Amino acid sequence: MALTGLQIFKLMPKTNCKDCGHPTCLAFSMALASAKIALDACPHVSAEAKESLGSASAPPVTKVTFGVGDKARETGDETVLFRHDKQFFHPTCLAVTIDDNDPNFNARLETINDLMFERVGEKVSIDAIALIDKSGEKDSFVEHAKIIADKGKFAPIYISNNAEALAEAAAATKAAKPLLYGATADNWEAVAKAAKEADCPLVVTAANINDLGALTEKVGAVTKNLIIGATAAGISQRLADLTQIRRQAIRKKVRPLGYPSIISVVGTEPRVQVAEASIYIAKYGSIVVTDVADKASLLPLCALRQNLFSNPQVPAQVEPGVFAVGEADANSPVYCTTNFSLTYYTVEGEVSSSKIPSWIIATPTDGTSVLTAWAAGKFTADKIAEFIAEIKLEDKVNHKVVVIPGHVAVLKAPLEEKSGWKVLIASNEASGIPAFAKEHFAK
Amino acid sequence: MPYLTEKSSGSISTVVLGATKENGGTRGYTLTIGGQNSLPFQNYEGVDPHRAVIAAEILDIEPVSWPDELKKAWGGVLGDPAAWAKKAVEGGADMVYIKLLSADPDNGGRSANDCAETVRAVLEAVPCPVAVQGCGVDEIDKGVISKVAEAFAGENLLLGLAGQENYATVTAACMVHKHTLISSSPLDINICKQINILISEMNMPMNRVVIDPSIGGLGYGLEYSYSVMERGRIGSLQGDKMLAMPVIGFIGSEAWKAKEAQAHESDFPKWGSEAERGVLWETITATSLLQAGIDILVMRHPDAINIVKAQIEALSQPVTAA
């Protein structure tokens, strides 16, 4: 159970040496109690204190890393149950399966390797390739594991019931730090030993959370580098199990469940798999495994992950600047809004549906919306005029007319004066833009 | 590790949509939503008695600007609201949601009477509960919604949208003519509560109110709506009665606005086929919000409707607590 700062302080050296970066041992103890710092930040802590504090100060969900270099992925280490409480820190890893009996193995691997995208200016991709032991033959599995570790562009996961096959695949490719899947009640001793020897993280699986907890305690005596695999039948039971695993770890610090989770979709039809994967991205899947490998299916899942793992305290922003919508040219109208991404993309959507190629200025307002920015003095005639000059708008278009949102109609006169541009006032809400555009700019 | 269950002091109100003959309407069946006292689908620690329902969005003008994939999916019914509604219900939608966009002067400015005739045609074509909203211009919608409420008194239509400016008119129309209303707020939990308080002060029974907290589609503000909805559900379970109504969200219209839902593969080869992408963009907007507590999903693509319906079915299966 969690200790208070004072309880921790009793076990500290009390030298106030500042080596941990805190002014006093008490300050360090307080930071440790609220999980803002790890115990190993104190170089002088006694072995005895470590023993008694280790479990209390550990994060509720451990952090597990698999893969190396660019392919390395950190997972787990979450501290809240709902993103609005603080933030989810480690985006769900998306893993796509490939099996060692696939006659088109290389082509499939190439398809998977290509699951990288760019959207809203960010690079996103899947995270892992999950090799399934379908052949049931150890040599085939190990050979294909080597190919994945070598040619795969994402972190490797090896899925097999055969302890020997897992052990050999891990030993042969340990430099790639694969995730081994996994230890069951029947084979855990051999698999845990192999994982420990190869220094690879290991998935522990069982069909319900009672058995899972019992098994992680046993396996935990060999290696603590674990991920929990919930394998109950049915989506509703899986969702409930994932929820319980995370809830017990965070609310009660239940150690045997305080690990990241891995979950495979149960559906078979591709669209159903995608829908199901989205549920586990929202609710507590640290790694989600699907068989779907086509771009159109993975892009929406990547977008969902971008959304839900963003920091709720920091507004999403677009780069300030001037952007073309459609084939905008020197004659196209210019709309001015803020750089809050929600505002910007709403305006962009409406401008685009007006079907009149246009320019949009995303004025730097620290990612605040039109009225908020205006009230905070970040979307004023001065600031807009300054930005119009900075981006050299007069070089982009051969007219001097700029459109502003109706909500800030009061800026018309001062902006015209400061910038020398004629100002048109559009609707209050972006939804009025198509009608506005039709009235003012339709040829 | 036995399950750690959490009991709630509050619950979501139970709302009935539509009215059959015995109750003064003409619907073949009604739908009941809400009534939960647990987080979404955590039915082992409370009751989750009514499944989320899907309303197909029907427009009273032909949606010429819709993406081709969407238009193709509906075939030839898009110019005919009654035929469109019929096809939607036969295809799996639980109910239909009519937007009377033609009342807007920019869309032809049809009269309130003409709009009511469209609603009549739809009511005659389908047995399901029906939702109706105006064109979005407050001044015009006051007349349109009042007319529709009066013309179909007793049907228990779901009428909207009641926002900060026009809640009084819509609420009065729903109270007098026995309909259910949609209380609408712009992604702001405090404004949502405030409008609900104003509506309840008019003595509208709160089991005839559904809330529209506004949503952003996948990739474009979904996270805001997800958190507003989730906070609303948690607040309701803790006993906040002014948030404790079932939630409606315009999944289809928001999802299909996204560039990723529409862009052709020829322009964005790295994004894959648009036929698949658009359907999944809408599907995932829906399935993720199911986890935040949405009760009525207003959707557009027939395939997305069916995938989401199957997910709701799968998610609603009883859970065994360990």
Side-chain angles (χ1 to χ4, degrees):
Chain A
M1 290 302 112
L3 296 177
T4 66
L6 281 175
Q7 285 168 320
I8 295 170
F9 178 64
K10 285 182 188 150
L11 299 162
M12 286 287 123
K14 305 195 189 74
T15 51
N16 298 339
C17 70
K18 304 187 178 60
D19 288 354
C20 63
H22 284 73
T24 63
C25 287
L26 182 60
F28 175 81
S29 304
M30 295 309 224
L32 187 59
S34 55
K36 283 184 187 131
I37 194 167
L39 181 61
D40 53 15
C42 172
H44 310 295
V45 68
S46 69
E48 179 201 349
K50 249 185 204 161
E51 177 78 66
S52 42
L53 288 178
S55 64
S57 65
V61 179
T62 60
K63 180 161 76 186
V64 174
T65 307
F66 64 111
V68 290
D70 293 348
K71 303 182 213 168
R73 286 294 182 273
E74 288 185 342
T75 182
D77 197 19
E78 299 297 346
T79 56
V80 293
L81 287 171
F82 304 104
R83 65 185 291 281
H84 60 256
D85 284 340
K86 190 171 186 185
Q87 183 185 355
F88 293 150
F89 293 99
H90 291 96
T92 303
C93 293
L94 294 169
V96 174
T97 58
I98 184 167
D99 76 67
D100 69 343
N101 248 0
D102 189 337
N104 303 311
F105 185 88
N106 289 327
R108 168 101 179 160
L109 182 57
E110 246 173 71
T111 305
I112 295 174
N113 274 343
D114 202 28
L115 292 170
M116 301 181 180
F117 313 95
E118 194 169 335
R119 70 168 289 274
V120 294
E122 273 183 60
K123 285 196 162 62
V124 291
S125 73
I126 65 156
D127 307 278
I129 305 175
L131 174 67
I132 295 177
D133 179 2
K134 202 167 182 187
S135 67
E137 285 165 26
K138 190 181 71 182
D139 293 347
S140 158
F141 187 69
V142 174
E143 183 199 323
H144 286 92
K146 285 182 188 162
I147 301 175
I148 304 258
D150 181 36
K151 299 221 167 69
K153 290 201 173 151
F154 305 104
I157 301 176
Y158 303 153
I159 303 181
S160 175
N161 294 324
N162 180 344
E164 255 179 79
L166 278 178
E168 263 188 51
T173 63
K174 65 180 179 189
K177 206 169 187 185
L179 171 62
L180 308 182
Y181 188 125
T184 62
D186 300 328
N187 72 2
W188 69 269
E189 282 163 304
V191 178
K193 186 162 162 275
K196 178 143 177 103
E197 274 165 14
D199 193 23
C200 295
L202 172 65
V203 176
V204 170
T205 68
N208 65 63
I209 68 166
N210 277 331
D211 296 349
L212 272 172
L215 195 53
T216 60
E217 284 195 290
K218 283 191 216 160
V219 180
V222 183
T223 170
K224 291 214 161 22
N225 201 4
L226 300 179
I227 290 181
I228 287 188
T231 57
I235 297 177
S236 61
Q237 190 71 47
R238 287 187 175 205
L239 174 67
D241 284 354
L242 284 173
T243 303
Q244 283 292 323
I245 289 166
R246 184 66 61 82
R247 186 192 283 178
Q248 300 201 17
I250 286 176
R251 290 238 207 275
K252 299 281 179 201
K253 279 212 170 185
V254 174
R255 278 284 143 223
L257 297 177
Y259 300 98
S261 63
I262 184 167
I263 187 108
S264 301
V265 295
V266 295
T268 48
E269 206 267 315
R271 289 168 162 190
V272 173
Q273 287 205 357
V274 174
E276 190 187 340
S278 75
I279 289 161
Y280 306 140
I281 290 173
K283 290 296 173 191
Y284 313 127
S286 309
I287 304 173
V288 175
V289 186
T290 73
D291 304 323
V292 186
D294 89 291
K295 292 170 183 295
S297 300
L298 271 307
L299 179 70
L301 291 176
C302 287
L304 177 63
R305 190 174 59 170
Q306 274 177 302
N307 279 169
L308 296 184
F309 286 82
S310 62
N311 183 346
Q313 265 84 47
V314 178
Q317 306 185 23
V318 294
E319 196 65 30
V322 57
F323 303 96
V325 179
E327 307 282 320
D329 60 22
N331 298 311
S332 303
V334 179
Y335 295 86
C336 177
T337 188
T338 76
N339 81 323
F340 177 38
S341 64
L342 212 49
T343 303
Y344 176 82
Y345 286 113
T346 309
V347 172
E348 189 203 58
E350 297 296 345
V351 169
S352 158
S353 68
S354 78
K355 303 236 184 286
I356 298 172
S358 308
W359 299 95
I360 304 178
I361 306 173
T363 314
T365 60
D366 301 325
T368 49
S369 64
V370 168
L371 281 174
T372 312
W374 174 74
K378 290 172 181 167
F379 196 56
T380 60
D382 282 334
K383 300 261 159 125
I384 299 170
E386 222 172 82
F387 196 61
I388 286 177
E390 190 185 323
I391 56 176
K392 299 200 165 50
L393 190 59
E394 74 273 13
D395 297 348
K396 283 241 182 317
V397 291
N398 60 16
H399 60 79
K400 291 202 92 176
V401 182
V402 60
V403 182
I404 63 170
H407 274 308
V408 290
V410 293
L411 296 180
K412 179 179 161 74
L415 182 55
E416 288 187 334
E417 190 190 314
K418 305 269 182 196
S419 65
W421 287 62
K422 180 175 170 359
V423 172
L424 292 182
I425 299 168
S427 50
N428 280 351
E429 300 299 332
S431 54
I433 289 176
F436 173 87
K438 198 168 114 192
E439 190 184 332
H440 289 82
F441 306 124
K443 304 244 158 68
Chain B
M1 312 297 130
Y3 264 28
L4 173 64
T5 55
E6 294 176 351
K7 295 287 172 211
S8 307
S9 52
S11 61
I12 308 294
S13 57
T14 301
V15 174
V16 177
L17 305 172
T20 55
K21 210 162 149 193
E22 300 81 65
N23 292 307
T26 62
R27 302 299 77 211
Y29 59 90
T30 61
L31 291 168
T32 306
I33 50 171
Q36 311 91 332
N37 66 355
S38 70
L39 289 169
F41 309 109
Q42 305 299 309
N43 50 39
Y44 52 87
E45 58 189 347
V47 293
D48 193 352
H50 304 294
R51 288 184 191 174
V53 299
I54 301 177
E57 181 180 331
I58 308 289
L59 308 185
D60 71 339
I61 53 174
E62 190 169 347
V64 283
S65 64
W66 275 13
D68 295 339
E69 285 307 321
L70 203 43
K71 284 192 274 192
K72 225 167 28 189
W74 284 107
V77 297
L78 292 182
D80 179 346
W84 185 352
K86 194 158 185 284
K87 189 164 182 179
V89 174
E90 284 167 1
D94 300 299
M95 59 181 288
V96 296
Y97 190 106
I98 312 170
K99 286 186 177 169
L100 296 170
L101 300 182
S102 70
D104 188 325
D106 286 339
N107 293 327
R110 287 172 76 220
S111 70
N113 277 331
D114 287 350
C115 287
E117 285 315 304
T118 302
V119 175
R120 185 184 311 283
V122 173
L123 283 167
E124 281 168 6
V126 292
C128 62
V130 172
V132 183
Q133 81 163 68
C135 62
V137 181
D138 280 345
E139 275 317 302
I140 294 169
D141 286 350
K142 281 178 186 172
V144 170
I145 293 303
S146 300
K147 178 75 215 173
V148 169
E150 187 193 344
F152 308 104
E155 279 289 8
N156 192 16
L157 300 171
L158 180 61
L159 292 178
L161 301 172
Q164 278 166 299
E165 305 299 326
N166 64 348
Y167 74 90
T169 317
V170 181
T171 307
C174 286
M175 283 174 68
V176 173
H177 302 293
K178 297 201 165 54
H179 301 293
T180 298
L181 76 80
I182 303 171
S183 149
S184 179
S185 48
L187 261 181
D188 183 320
I189 208 161
N190 294 316
I191 298 178
C192 174
K193 272 178 81 162
Q194 199 184 330
I195 296 176
N196 290 340
I197 290 169
L198 293 168
I199 289 171
S200 83
E201 281 172 353
M202 290 179 69
N203 290 326
M204 178 78 187
M206 293 318 262
N207 64 357
R208 273 171 43 210
V209 178
V210 166
I211 49 185
D212 158 36
S214 304
I215 68 156
L218 177 61
Y220 297 92
L222 177 90
E223 70 273 34
Y224 292 91
S225 27
Y226 184 91
S227 286
V228 163
M229 235 179 248
E230 191 162 63
R231 284 173 61 199
R233 171 64 81 90
I234 292 170
S236 308
L237 296 184
Q238 289 166 351
D240 190 334
K241 289 202 159 41
M242 283 303 131
L243 284 175
M245 299 94 186
V247 175
I248 187 170
F250 300 97
I251 305 287
S253 53
E254 291 302 318
W256 285 95
K257 266 188 200 167
K259 186 169 162 186
E260 290 87 338
Q262 304 194 18
H264 287 274
E265 187 172 11
S266 48
D267 297 327
F268 289 85
K270 294 212 143 238
W271 284 358
S273 122
E274 68 266 14
E276 207 55 21
R277 202 173 349 102
V279 169
L280 290 173
W281 210 262
E282 181 175 14
T283 299
I284 291 182
T285 303
T287 50
S288 53
L289 290 175
L290 280 173
Q291 292 302 322
I294 195 168
D295 296 281
I296 306 176
L297 305 106
V298 185
M299 297 184 62
R300 283 188 175 170
H301 198 292
D303 289 358
I305 289 175
N306 281 306
I307 304 169
V308 174
K309 207 175 165 184
Q311 284 295 315
I312 294 170
E313 164 83 25
L315 283 164
S316 305
Q317 297 310 309
V319 165
T320 317

